[in-house]
Structures are given as structure tokens and as C-alpha cells.
Amino acid sequence: MQIKSKFLIAGAIIALIALTSMQGYLTFNTFDLRKKSFAVDSRTKIGDIVKTKYVDSLSWHYRMDFVDKIPDYKRNRISKEELLADLKFFANDRNDEFTEYFNKEAERLGLNENILFKKVASSIQLIDENGNVENLLTEDKDSPIFLIGTDFLLEEGLLINAWNWTFDKGFINDNHQLESVTVKYRASIYMKIVDWDKIIFKQLLFLFLIAFLLFLFVISLVTYSIRNLFKHKRISDIKTDFINNITHELKTPLSTLSIATKTLTNRFAKDNTDIAKESIDTINRQNKRLQNLIDQVVDNSLGYNDINLNLEQVSLPDFINEVCDDFALTLPSNIQFLRDVEANETEVEIDKFFLGTAIINILNNAIKFDGTVLKVKYNITNNLHTIAISDNGIGISKKNKKLIFDKFYRVSEKNMHTYKGLGLGLYYCSQIVKAHHGIIDVESKVKEGSTFYIKIPVENGKENFIS
Ligand code: ADP
């Protein structure tokens, strides 16, 4: 069973890790796919905006302004730099017009406002009539010339498209002859998505949230199941301990009973009334012991709801003194019993029998678990009647402190049979205190001793401290 549980837990944890990794991988993939589809979608929309007659005519205008300047360059009136600066100037000059159009169309097509667009001239060649090529702008070598759109760094953008345009320009050269030059021009368009990850994340937020909640749900489910498994194992251990204990407790009276019965049935006993009387006494005693044992199990197993309190107004200091007086009478001489009971005028509604039983149970435990100095202290603190019962016995470990009030729980030690019991005493005490709307608590240090606290509200019954 134990190995099976370990396998189950290991399996659940491995499955959880595998599931989490798969979920992480799928989420990452979804993010990536979404990013790609977003880019394709934006690209198509930009294409739809710039491939229109309006943008064509706009480009045509600044290109023609540029071409018209080429004769000046050819006639050495302006330098190459001035010619290229002119192209930039002519294009930029129409940028406001273009941007207004672009924004309007972007809105109409639902293009995300974080998407920027720009058009650049990436290569310009002039070819004369003899086929001589002059590179005014070389792609991948010179910086492209920004024409229209928003000027961002090229490394931050994605190339959407590029196209070539050729135009033959005729002009009269310095020798008054007609000369023709072919302009080969290449323009590229780029787009940039600002805060791209944020946009996709926003779009997938709902999905991520669901994935995260599902992940939390699965984790809680696994944790809950593992905890339940441990709880059941603990309960089953407690039950086994209880059965071992009770069989151990039953053995002694049963074997004595069987000896006594044998003696009685013996012929000799029939004639000897003394032996017969002795055996009958033993039978009665052991019978009583068995009866007590069974009563103890039945009574002490009661839950606080089943305890019928016979409440009466009592002065707690007086009552505690009475209980202590009676208890002191039964004590062996090696036990030191101290008392510090603070007097007060407050009366409280309690069942003397039950509360007395709880106090005596704790005191008996103190002796059972090797206490030689016992102390009962009573006072009112924080509006609570507080009865503290201390001993200098074997003490209770931190782990066990939480469990000792559970039904049938006994601290499992190798020498468990040294300390007899059924693990019901403290459970019963806690139920009695609970029925009085109080709380029971323990402070303890192993090998130093323990202090049990019974706390009952001054205004009994008005408040329930048990959560
Ligand atoms: P039982 O005494 O029959 O074992 P209880 O419910 O009275 O059952 O106590 C539960 C467990 O709490 C005990 O088995 C013991 O380990 C621990 N315990 C109770 N009282 C004391 C004490 N005064 N000192 C040390 N351990 C204690």
C-alpha cells in the first residue's frame, strides 16, 4: 500500500510536470503563431493602403521632381549629394499629405495604431546612352533615403515589399545636344510594430488567464489528492494503533477471567467455598474492568454535539479547588502537586461533571507521562477563564502537538506500551471544552514538560471560540 501510494504520488508529480511543460510549449507556440499571423495581417493591410492610385500619383510626383533635377546633375550644376537631398526633400515635402491619407485608411481597415510604415529609396542608377552605369545609391552599401511614412531604424522594421521603376529622361547637354539617361530606381517599404509583444500578449490575455487558472486548478487538485492520501494513511495508522491497543487492554482481563472460570469449574473449588468466592470476586472485578473499558470507548468517543451538559452557575475558583482537593487525595507521595488559583467573583455556567472529568484526564495524563511536579493555575486573562495544567513529564514534540486532540491519536513511540491508553482522553477533553464554547491548547517541550490550557469565555455561550 505504501509503495503503491509512493508510485501514485510520483506519477502525479511527473504528470503535472509533463502537463506544465506541454502547456508552456503550447502557449509559447500560440504566442509565436499569433505574432506571425498578426504580422501577415498587418502587412496585407499596409499593402492595401499603399497600392492605391492615390499613393502612386503621390510617388509619381516626387519621383518626377527628382528626375527633372537629373539634367542639372549631368551638367554638373549640382553635386550627387545635392541631387539625393533633393529627392529626399521632394518626397518628405509630401509626407504630411501621405500621413493623413495613411492614418485615415489605417483606421478604416482596422490596422493597429502601433504599426508604423515607411518607404525608402534603396538603389538609384543612371545609365547613359553608351550603357555606362553610375550608381548614385547602392543597396546594402549606402544608407537608403527616407521618402515617406515614419522614419524608424531599418533594423527595427520588417521589409514588406520592394519594386523597381525605370524612366528615360532626355535633356540638352552642355554641347547643346540631346542626351538621354535611363534612371533605374528601387524603392522598398518597411513596417515596424511598436510594442509587438505587448499587443499579442493583450490579445491572448484571456487565453493565458484561462491556462493559468487551469494550471492552478490542476496543482490544487494534485496537492489536495496527495494531502488526502496522507490523511487517509494517518487515519488508517491511527485505527491500527487503536486496534492493537484495545486488544492489548482486553487480553489481561480475558486471560484472568479464563483462569478464574477454570478454577471454578475445578471439582476442588466446588467443595471449597473460599476458593470459589475468590474466583467469583476475580470474575466480577475483571468483568467490571471490561465493562469500564467498553464504557470508556463509548463515552469518550462522543462528539461535542452529543454531550448533554447539565449546566449550573459555578464559581470556577471554588470548583477548581474542589477538583484539586479530590485529586490530591489519590496522589502517591512522590508527586508534588502545586496550585495557584486566583479568586474572583465571576460565576460561569458549566457542567461540573464533564469539566471535572476533563481536568482530571489532563492531570492523570501528566502523571502517566512521567510528570512528578504538577501545577494547576487559574486566572482570568483576556476575558477568558484560563485553567493551565502543567507537568514536568516527557513533553510532546511540535509535530505531535497538532495531533494529540484527534480521536484515537497516540504518539507512536517504540515504547508505546509503557504508557497505556486508547488515545481518547484528550479528544474527549477537547469535545467537553468545545461543548462549553471554549478552546483547549497545549504548550510543550520534549523532555521538559507540557502545559495544557482550557479557556472558557467569561460570557459563556455568547461567543464560540472554536473555528
Ligand atoms: P492516551 O493517554 O490514552 O494515549 P490521550 O488522548 O489522553 O490518549 O493522549 C494522546 C497522546 O498525547 C498520548 O498518547 C501522549 O502521547 C500525549 N500526551 C497527552 N498528555 C501528555 C502529557 N502530559 N505529557 C506528554 N504527552 C502527553
Side-chain angles (χ1 to χ4, degrees), residues 401-432:
K401 270 199 301 195
K402 287 184 223 144
L403 305 167
I404 52 172
F405 298 103
D406 286 358
K407 204 173 190 176
F408 301 128
Y409 188 82
R410 306 197 70 221
V411 176
S412 315
E413 299 288 343
K414 284 189 194 106
N415 60 350
M416 193 168 147
H417 290 303
T418 324
Y419 306 107
K420 287 197 171 133
L422 298 173
L424 280 170
L426 285 181
Y427 167 76
Y428 191 42
C429 289
S430 71
Q431 299 307 301
I432 292 174

PDB file of all heavy atoms in Angstrom, residues 401-432:
ATOM      1  N   LYS A 401       1.995  17.881  18.658  1.00  0.00           N
ATOM      2  CA  LYS A 401       1.118  18.820  19.372  1.00  0.00           C
ATOM      3  C   LYS A 401      -0.190  19.053  18.612  1.00  0.00           C
ATOM      4  O   LYS A 401      -1.245  19.217  19.190  1.00  0.00           O
ATOM      5  CB  LYS A 401       1.843  20.153  19.571  1.00  0.00           C
ATOM      6  CG  LYS A 401       2.612  20.172  20.864  1.00  0.00           C
ATOM      7  CD  LYS A 401       2.957  21.562  21.325  1.00  0.00           C
ATOM      8  CE  LYS A 401       3.787  22.322  20.341  1.00  0.00           C
ATOM      9  NZ  LYS A 401       4.422  23.511  20.887  1.00  0.00           N
ATOM     10  N   LYS A 402      -0.069  19.060  17.255  1.00  0.00           N
ATOM     11  CA  LYS A 402      -1.251  19.346  16.435  1.00  0.00           C
ATOM     12  C   LYS A 402      -2.206  18.155  16.424  1.00  0.00           C
ATOM     13  O   LYS A 402      -3.364  18.298  16.081  1.00  0.00           O
ATOM     14  CB  LYS A 402      -0.805  19.621  14.992  1.00  0.00           C
ATOM     15  CG  LYS A 402      -0.140  20.936  14.816  1.00  0.00           C
ATOM     16  CD  LYS A 402       0.154  21.119  13.335  1.00  0.00           C
ATOM     17  CE  LYS A 402       1.542  21.697  13.160  1.00  0.00           C
ATOM     18  NZ  LYS A 402       2.262  21.206  12.020  1.00  0.00           N
ATOM     19  N   LEU A 403      -1.692  16.959  16.764  1.00  0.00           N
ATOM     20  CA  LEU A 403      -2.488  15.747  16.524  1.00  0.00           C
ATOM     21  C   LEU A 403      -3.084  15.115  17.773  1.00  0.00           C
ATOM     22  O   LEU A 403      -4.009  14.306  17.672  1.00  0.00           O
ATOM     23  CB  LEU A 403      -1.609  14.702  15.813  1.00  0.00           C
ATOM     24  CG  LEU A 403      -0.962  15.197  14.512  1.00  0.00           C
ATOM     25  CD1 LEU A 403       0.122  14.241  14.049  1.00  0.00           C
ATOM     26  CD2 LEU A 403      -2.022  15.324  13.432  1.00  0.00           C
ATOM     27  N   ILE A 404      -2.528  15.480  18.935  1.00  0.00           N
ATOM     28  CA  ILE A 404      -2.926  14.743  20.143  1.00  0.00           C
ATOM     29  C   ILE A 404      -4.405  14.886  20.506  1.00  0.00           C
ATOM     30  O   ILE A 404      -4.937  14.069  21.232  1.00  0.00           O
ATOM     31  CB  ILE A 404      -2.061  15.118  21.373  1.00  0.00           C
ATOM     32  CG1 ILE A 404      -2.043  16.621  21.539  1.00  0.00           C
ATOM     33  CG2 ILE A 404      -0.678  14.516  21.284  1.00  0.00           C
ATOM     34  CD1 ILE A 404      -1.371  17.066  22.822  1.00  0.00           C
ATOM     35  N   PHE A 405      -5.077  15.918  19.961  1.00  0.00           N
ATOM     36  CA  PHE A 405      -6.500  16.082  20.269  1.00  0.00           C
ATOM     37  C   PHE A 405      -7.393  15.299  19.299  1.00  0.00           C
ATOM     38  O   PHE A 405      -8.607  15.315  19.406  1.00  0.00           O
ATOM     39  CB  PHE A 405      -6.892  17.562  20.268  1.00  0.00           C
ATOM     40  CG  PHE A 405      -6.153  18.360  21.318  1.00  0.00           C
ATOM     41  CD1 PHE A 405      -5.101  19.181  20.974  1.00  0.00           C
ATOM     42  CD2 PHE A 405      -6.502  18.243  22.656  1.00  0.00           C
ATOM     43  CE1 PHE A 405      -4.411  19.895  21.946  1.00  0.00           C
ATOM     44  CE2 PHE A 405      -5.820  18.952  23.631  1.00  0.00           C
ATOM     45  CZ  PHE A 405      -4.763  19.778  23.274  1.00  0.00           C
ATOM     46  N   ASP A 406      -6.740  14.624  18.310  1.00  0.00           N
ATOM     47  CA  ASP A 406      -7.512  13.808  17.363  1.00  0.00           C
ATOM     48  C   ASP A 406      -7.948  12.511  18.038  1.00  0.00           C
ATOM     49  O   ASP A 406      -7.245  11.977  18.900  1.00  0.00           O
ATOM     50  CB  ASP A 406      -6.653  13.446  16.144  1.00  0.00           C
ATOM     51  CG  ASP A 406      -6.467  14.639  15.235  1.00  0.00           C
ATOM     52  OD1 ASP A 406      -7.029  15.707  15.551  1.00  0.00           O
ATOM     53  OD2 ASP A 406      -5.751  14.504  14.239  1.00  0.00           O
ATOM     54  N   LYS A 407      -9.104  12.017  17.563  1.00  0.00           N
ATOM     55  CA  LYS A 407      -9.650  10.776  18.121  1.00  0.00           C
ATOM     56  C   LYS A 407      -8.676   9.608  17.887  1.00  0.00           C
ATOM     57  O   LYS A 407      -8.180   9.454  16.767  1.00  0.00           O
ATOM     58  CB  LYS A 407     -10.965  10.490  17.392  1.00  0.00           C
ATOM     59  CG  LYS A 407     -11.938   9.645  18.148  1.00  0.00           C
ATOM     60  CD  LYS A 407     -13.232   9.638  17.336  1.00  0.00           C
ATOM     61  CE  LYS A 407     -14.352   9.033  18.075  1.00  0.00           C
ATOM     62  NZ  LYS A 407     -15.601   9.117  17.340  1.00  0.00           N
ATOM     63  N   PHE A 408      -8.405   8.860  18.902  1.00  0.00           N
ATOM     64  CA  PHE A 408      -7.549   7.656  18.877  1.00  0.00           C
ATOM     65  C   PHE A 408      -6.075   7.953  18.658  1.00  0.00           C
ATOM     66  O   PHE A 408      -5.283   7.039  18.507  1.00  0.00           O
ATOM     67  CB  PHE A 408      -7.996   6.639  17.801  1.00  0.00           C
ATOM     68  CG  PHE A 408      -9.401   6.155  17.969  1.00  0.00           C
ATOM     69  CD1 PHE A 408     -10.311   6.208  16.928  1.00  0.00           C
ATOM     70  CD2 PHE A 408      -9.831   5.651  19.190  1.00  0.00           C
ATOM     71  CE1 PHE A 408     -11.614   5.771  17.088  1.00  0.00           C
ATOM     72  CE2 PHE A 408     -11.132   5.205  19.355  1.00  0.00           C
ATOM     73  CZ  PHE A 408     -12.028   5.272  18.311  1.00  0.00           C
ATOM     74  N   TYR A 409      -5.706   9.236  18.560  1.00  0.00           N
ATOM     75  CA  TYR A 409      -4.297   9.513  18.277  1.00  0.00           C
ATOM     76  C   TYR A 409      -3.432   9.297  19.512  1.00  0.00           C
ATOM     77  O   TYR A 409      -3.714   9.802  20.589  1.00  0.00           O
ATOM     78  CB  TYR A 409      -4.099  10.942  17.755  1.00  0.00           C
ATOM     79  CG  TYR A 409      -2.675  11.147  17.287  1.00  0.00           C
ATOM     80  CD1 TYR A 409      -2.292  10.718  16.023  1.00  0.00           C
ATOM     81  CD2 TYR A 409      -1.717  11.696  18.128  1.00  0.00           C
ATOM     82  CE1 TYR A 409      -0.977  10.845  15.597  1.00  0.00           C
ATOM     83  CE2 TYR A 409      -0.407  11.823  17.715  1.00  0.00           C
ATOM     84  CZ  TYR A 409      -0.043  11.400  16.453  1.00  0.00           C
ATOM     85  OH  TYR A 409       1.267  11.521  16.038  1.00  0.00           O
ATOM     86  N   ARG A 410      -2.375   8.535  19.317  1.00  0.00           N
ATOM     87  CA  ARG A 410      -1.387   8.364  20.379  1.00  0.00           C
ATOM     88  C   ARG A 410      -0.034   8.604  19.736  1.00  0.00           C
ATOM     89  O   ARG A 410       0.184   8.256  18.578  1.00  0.00           O
ATOM     90  CB  ARG A 410      -1.417   6.933  20.932  1.00  0.00           C
ATOM     91  CG  ARG A 410      -2.792   6.498  21.384  1.00  0.00           C
ATOM     92  CD  ARG A 410      -2.693   5.288  22.282  1.00  0.00           C
ATOM     93  NE  ARG A 410      -2.109   5.655  23.569  1.00  0.00           N
ATOM     94  CZ  ARG A 410      -1.218   4.907  24.208  1.00  0.00           C
ATOM     95  NH1 ARG A 410      -0.804   3.776  23.697  1.00  0.00           N
ATOM     96  NH2 ARG A 410      -0.736   5.295  25.365  1.00  0.00           N
ATOM     97  N   VAL A 411       0.874   9.194  20.472  1.00  0.00           N
ATOM     98  CA  VAL A 411       2.197   9.429  19.904  1.00  0.00           C
ATOM     99  C   VAL A 411       2.845   8.059  19.722  1.00  0.00           C
ATOM    100  O   VAL A 411       2.977   7.306  20.677  1.00  0.00           O
ATOM    101  CB  VAL A 411       3.034  10.322  20.832  1.00  0.00           C
ATOM    102  CG1 VAL A 411       4.449  10.478  20.292  1.00  0.00           C
ATOM    103  CG2 VAL A 411       2.361  11.672  20.999  1.00  0.00           C
ATOM    104  N   SER A 412       3.172   7.754  18.467  1.00  0.00           N
ATOM    105  CA  SER A 412       3.744   6.424  18.228  1.00  0.00           C
ATOM    106  C   SER A 412       5.225   6.411  18.575  1.00  0.00           C
ATOM    107  O   SER A 412       6.022   7.044  17.919  1.00  0.00           O
ATOM    108  CB  SER A 412       3.599   6.031  16.765  1.00  0.00           C
ATOM    109  OG  SER A 412       2.338   6.322  16.330  1.00  0.00           O
ATOM    110  N   GLU A 413       5.535   5.740  19.613  1.00  0.00           N
ATOM    111  CA  GLU A 413       6.932   5.573  20.018  1.00  0.00           C
ATOM    112  C   GLU A 413       7.162   4.074  20.151  1.00  0.00           C
ATOM    113  O   GLU A 413       6.223   3.290  20.234  1.00  0.00           O
ATOM    114  CB  GLU A 413       7.183   6.237  21.379  1.00  0.00           C
ATOM    115  CG  GLU A 413       6.933   7.736  21.418  1.00  0.00           C
ATOM    116  CD  GLU A 413       7.971   8.562  20.673  1.00  0.00           C
ATOM    117  OE1 GLU A 413       9.059   8.019  20.385  1.00  0.00           O
ATOM    118  OE2 GLU A 413       7.685   9.720  20.359  1.00  0.00           O
ATOM    119  N   LYS A 414       8.435   3.720  20.186  1.00  0.00           N
ATOM    120  CA  LYS A 414       8.734   2.282  20.300  1.00  0.00           C
ATOM    121  C   LYS A 414       8.218   1.735  21.630  1.00  0.00           C
ATOM    122  O   LYS A 414       7.723   0.624  21.721  1.00  0.00           O
ATOM    123  CB  LYS A 414      10.245   2.073  20.180  1.00  0.00           C
ATOM    124  CG  LYS A 414      10.714   2.193  18.734  1.00  0.00           C
ATOM    125  CD  LYS A 414      12.147   1.772  18.594  1.00  0.00           C
ATOM    126  CE  LYS A 414      12.655   2.247  17.236  1.00  0.00           C
ATOM    127  NZ  LYS A 414      13.534   3.367  17.341  1.00  0.00           N
ATOM    128  N   ASN A 415       8.328   2.584  22.652  1.00  0.00           N
ATOM    129  CA  ASN A 415       7.919   2.116  23.990  1.00  0.00           C
ATOM    130  C   ASN A 415       6.468   2.509  24.292  1.00  0.00           C
ATOM    131  O   ASN A 415       6.115   2.854  25.400  1.00  0.00           O
ATOM    132  CB  ASN A 415       8.852   2.672  25.068  1.00  0.00           C
ATOM    133  CG  ASN A 415       8.837   4.188  25.079  1.00  0.00           C
ATOM    134  OD1 ASN A 415       8.282   4.797  24.177  1.00  0.00           O
ATOM    135  ND2 ASN A 415       9.436   4.767  26.105  1.00  0.00           N
ATOM    136  N   MET A 416       5.624   2.424  23.251  1.00  0.00           N
ATOM    137  CA  MET A 416       4.246   2.886  23.373  1.00  0.00           C
ATOM    138  C   MET A 416       3.477   2.143  24.475  1.00  0.00           C
ATOM    139  O   MET A 416       2.640   2.744  25.156  1.00  0.00           O
ATOM    140  CB  MET A 416       3.556   2.644  22.039  1.00  0.00           C
ATOM    141  CG  MET A 416       2.267   3.310  21.902  1.00  0.00           C
ATOM    142  SD  MET A 416       1.864   3.155  20.192  1.00  0.00           S
ATOM    143  CE  MET A 416       0.143   3.035  20.307  1.00  0.00           C
ATOM    144  N   HIS A 417       3.811   0.858  24.617  1.00  0.00           N
ATOM    145  CA  HIS A 417       3.062   0.089  25.611  1.00  0.00           C
ATOM    146  C   HIS A 417       3.477   0.414  27.041  1.00  0.00           C
ATOM    147  O   HIS A 417       2.827  -0.006  27.992  1.00  0.00           O
ATOM    148  CB  HIS A 417       3.162  -1.411  25.318  1.00  0.00           C
ATOM    149  CG  HIS A 417       2.403  -1.761  24.077  1.00  0.00           C
ATOM    150  ND1 HIS A 417       1.058  -1.484  23.930  1.00  0.00           N
ATOM    151  CD2 HIS A 417       2.796  -2.313  22.910  1.00  0.00           C
ATOM    152  CE1 HIS A 417       0.653  -1.852  22.734  1.00  0.00           C
ATOM    153  NE2 HIS A 417       1.701  -2.356  22.092  1.00  0.00           N
ATOM    154  N   THR A 418       4.565   1.195  27.176  1.00  0.00           N
ATOM    155  CA  THR A 418       4.952   1.640  28.513  1.00  0.00           C
ATOM    156  C   THR A 418       3.856   2.558  29.047  1.00  0.00           C
ATOM    157  O   THR A 418       3.559   2.584  30.246  1.00  0.00           O
ATOM    158  CB  THR A 418       6.268   2.467  28.436  1.00  0.00           C
ATOM    159  OG1 THR A 418       7.082   1.903  27.436  1.00  0.00           O
ATOM    160  CG2 THR A 418       6.981   2.530  29.760  1.00  0.00           C
ATOM    161  N   TYR A 419       3.294   3.367  28.130  1.00  0.00           N
ATOM    162  CA  TYR A 419       2.223   4.289  28.521  1.00  0.00           C
ATOM    163  C   TYR A 419       0.914   3.762  27.963  1.00  0.00           C
ATOM    164  O   TYR A 419       0.670   3.856  26.759  1.00  0.00           O
ATOM    165  CB  TYR A 419       2.508   5.692  27.946  1.00  0.00           C
ATOM    166  CG  TYR A 419       3.861   6.224  28.311  1.00  0.00           C
ATOM    167  CD1 TYR A 419       4.875   6.295  27.354  1.00  0.00           C
ATOM    168  CD2 TYR A 419       4.140   6.643  29.610  1.00  0.00           C
ATOM    169  CE1 TYR A 419       6.117   6.786  27.691  1.00  0.00           C
ATOM    170  CE2 TYR A 419       5.393   7.132  29.943  1.00  0.00           C
ATOM    171  CZ  TYR A 419       6.382   7.193  28.984  1.00  0.00           C
ATOM    172  OH  TYR A 419       7.614   7.672  29.303  1.00  0.00           O
ATOM    173  N   LYS A 420       0.119   3.179  28.839  1.00  0.00           N
ATOM    174  CA  LYS A 420      -1.127   2.571  28.363  1.00  0.00           C
ATOM    175  C   LYS A 420      -2.162   3.635  28.013  1.00  0.00           C
ATOM    176  O   LYS A 420      -2.162   4.724  28.574  1.00  0.00           O
ATOM    177  CB  LYS A 420      -1.681   1.645  29.439  1.00  0.00           C
ATOM    178  CG  LYS A 420      -0.869   0.375  29.545  1.00  0.00           C
ATOM    179  CD  LYS A 420      -1.646  -0.684  30.276  1.00  0.00           C
ATOM    180  CE  LYS A 420      -0.918  -1.988  30.170  1.00  0.00           C
ATOM    181  NZ  LYS A 420      -0.803  -2.678  31.415  1.00  0.00           N
ATOM    182  N   GLY A 421      -3.066   3.296  27.130  1.00  0.00           N
ATOM    183  CA  GLY A 421      -4.134   4.237  26.802  1.00  0.00           C
ATOM    184  C   GLY A 421      -4.734   3.918  25.454  1.00  0.00           C
ATOM    185  O   GLY A 421      -4.209   3.085  24.705  1.00  0.00           O
ATOM    186  N   LEU A 422      -5.845   4.607  25.155  1.00  0.00           N
ATOM    187  CA  LEU A 422      -6.537   4.338  23.901  1.00  0.00           C
ATOM    188  C   LEU A 422      -6.500   5.534  22.958  1.00  0.00           C
ATOM    189  O   LEU A 422      -7.035   5.494  21.860  1.00  0.00           O
ATOM    190  CB  LEU A 422      -8.010   3.979  24.182  1.00  0.00           C
ATOM    191  CG  LEU A 422      -8.225   2.727  25.018  1.00  0.00           C
ATOM    192  CD1 LEU A 422      -9.689   2.576  25.370  1.00  0.00           C
ATOM    193  CD2 LEU A 422      -7.737   1.496  24.270  1.00  0.00           C
ATOM    194  N   GLY A 423      -5.899   6.613  23.410  1.00  0.00           N
ATOM    195  CA  GLY A 423      -5.833   7.792  22.550  1.00  0.00           C
ATOM    196  C   GLY A 423      -7.159   8.526  22.493  1.00  0.00           C
ATOM    197  O   GLY A 423      -7.451   9.223  21.527  1.00  0.00           O
ATOM    198  N   LEU A 424      -7.968   8.376  23.542  1.00  0.00           N
ATOM    199  CA  LEU A 424      -9.283   9.018  23.536  1.00  0.00           C
ATOM    200  C   LEU A 424      -9.376  10.184  24.522  1.00  0.00           C
ATOM    201  O   LEU A 424     -10.208  11.071  24.359  1.00  0.00           O
ATOM    202  CB  LEU A 424     -10.371   7.992  23.888  1.00  0.00           C
ATOM    203  CG  LEU A 424     -10.820   7.086  22.748  1.00  0.00           C
ATOM    204  CD1 LEU A 424     -11.692   5.970  23.265  1.00  0.00           C
ATOM    205  CD2 LEU A 424     -11.571   7.902  21.704  1.00  0.00           C
ATOM    206  N   GLY A 425      -8.492  10.145  25.557  1.00  0.00           N
ATOM    207  CA  GLY A 425      -8.597  11.107  26.660  1.00  0.00           C
ATOM    208  C   GLY A 425      -8.616  12.555  26.209  1.00  0.00           C
ATOM    209  O   GLY A 425      -9.546  13.317  26.537  1.00  0.00           O
ATOM    210  N   LEU A 426      -7.628  12.952  25.425  1.00  0.00           N
ATOM    211  CA  LEU A 426      -7.541  14.366  25.033  1.00  0.00           C
ATOM    212  C   LEU A 426      -8.625  14.727  24.019  1.00  0.00           C
ATOM    213  O   LEU A 426      -9.103  15.864  24.002  1.00  0.00           O
ATOM    214  CB  LEU A 426      -6.155  14.683  24.472  1.00  0.00           C
ATOM    215  CG  LEU A 426      -5.048  14.782  25.519  1.00  0.00           C
ATOM    216  CD1 LEU A 426      -3.726  15.123  24.867  1.00  0.00           C
ATOM    217  CD2 LEU A 426      -5.385  15.833  26.580  1.00  0.00           C
ATOM    218  N   TYR A 427      -9.004  13.753  23.177  1.00  0.00           N
ATOM    219  CA  TYR A 427     -10.100  14.006  22.235  1.00  0.00           C
ATOM    220  C   TYR A 427     -11.355  14.349  23.044  1.00  0.00           C
ATOM    221  O   TYR A 427     -12.041  15.338  22.762  1.00  0.00           O
ATOM    222  CB  TYR A 427     -10.344  12.778  21.356  1.00  0.00           C
ATOM    223  CG  TYR A 427     -11.645  12.858  20.600  1.00  0.00           C
ATOM    224  CD1 TYR A 427     -11.770  13.684  19.482  1.00  0.00           C
ATOM    225  CD2 TYR A 427     -12.764  12.142  21.025  1.00  0.00           C
ATOM    226  CE1 TYR A 427     -12.974  13.792  18.809  1.00  0.00           C
ATOM    227  CE2 TYR A 427     -13.974  12.248  20.354  1.00  0.00           C
ATOM    228  CZ  TYR A 427     -14.082  13.074  19.246  1.00  0.00           C
ATOM    229  OH  TYR A 427     -15.273  13.187  18.578  1.00  0.00           O
ATOM    230  N   TYR A 428     -11.598  13.528  24.067  1.00  0.00           N
ATOM    231  CA  TYR A 428     -12.782  13.731  24.910  1.00  0.00           C
ATOM    232  C   TYR A 428     -12.713  15.096  25.599  1.00  0.00           C
ATOM    233  O   TYR A 428     -13.690  15.852  25.615  1.00  0.00           O
ATOM    234  CB  TYR A 428     -12.855  12.590  25.923  1.00  0.00           C
ATOM    235  CG  TYR A 428     -14.145  12.509  26.693  1.00  0.00           C
ATOM    236  CD1 TYR A 428     -15.366  12.696  26.068  1.00  0.00           C
ATOM    237  CD2 TYR A 428     -14.140  12.220  28.060  1.00  0.00           C
ATOM    238  CE1 TYR A 428     -16.550  12.602  26.781  1.00  0.00           C
ATOM    239  CE2 TYR A 428     -15.326  12.126  28.778  1.00  0.00           C
ATOM    240  CZ  TYR A 428     -16.535  12.318  28.131  1.00  0.00           C
ATOM    241  OH  TYR A 428     -17.693  12.235  28.818  1.00  0.00           O
ATOM    242  N   CYS A 429     -11.524  15.436  26.150  1.00  0.00           N
ATOM    243  CA  CYS A 429     -11.353  16.751  26.801  1.00  0.00           C
ATOM    244  C   CYS A 429     -11.693  17.866  25.820  1.00  0.00           C
ATOM    245  O   CYS A 429     -12.409  18.811  26.156  1.00  0.00           O
ATOM    246  CB  CYS A 429      -9.895  16.956  27.225  1.00  0.00           C
ATOM    247  SG  CYS A 429      -9.427  15.922  28.581  1.00  0.00           S
ATOM    248  N   SER A 430     -11.167  17.740  24.591  1.00  0.00           N
ATOM    249  CA  SER A 430     -11.384  18.826  23.617  1.00  0.00           C
ATOM    250  C   SER A 430     -12.875  18.957  23.304  1.00  0.00           C
ATOM    251  O   SER A 430     -13.375  20.076  23.135  1.00  0.00           O
ATOM    252  CB  SER A 430     -10.584  18.577  22.346  1.00  0.00           C
ATOM    253  OG  SER A 430     -11.137  17.511  21.624  1.00  0.00           O
ATOM    254  N   GLN A 431     -13.593  17.832  23.243  1.00  0.00           N
ATOM    255  CA  GLN A 431     -15.031  17.885  22.950  1.00  0.00           C
ATOM    256  C   GLN A 431     -15.805  18.516  24.103  1.00  0.00           C
ATOM    257  O   GLN A 431     -16.739  19.288  23.894  1.00  0.00           O
ATOM    258  CB  GLN A 431     -15.578  16.487  22.644  1.00  0.00           C
ATOM    259  CG  GLN A 431     -14.937  15.837  21.439  1.00  0.00           C
ATOM    260  CD  GLN A 431     -14.980  16.717  20.199  1.00  0.00           C
ATOM    261  OE1 GLN A 431     -16.036  17.117  19.734  1.00  0.00           O
ATOM    262  NE2 GLN A 431     -13.806  17.051  19.664  1.00  0.00           N
ATOM    263  N   ILE A 432     -15.379  18.195  25.334  1.00  0.00           N
ATOM    264  CA  ILE A 432     -16.039  18.782  26.512  1.00  0.00           C
ATOM    265  C   ILE A 432     -15.841  20.296  26.509  1.00  0.00           C
ATOM    266  O   ILE A 432     -16.785  21.072  26.686  1.00  0.00           O
ATOM    267  CB  ILE A 432     -15.473  18.165  27.815  1.00  0.00           C
ATOM    268  CG1 ILE A 432     -15.876  16.688  27.914  1.00  0.00           C
ATOM    269  CG2 ILE A 432     -15.941  18.947  29.047  1.00  0.00           C
ATOM    270  CD1 ILE A 432     -15.248  15.936  29.083  1.00  0.00           C
TER     271      ILE A 432
END
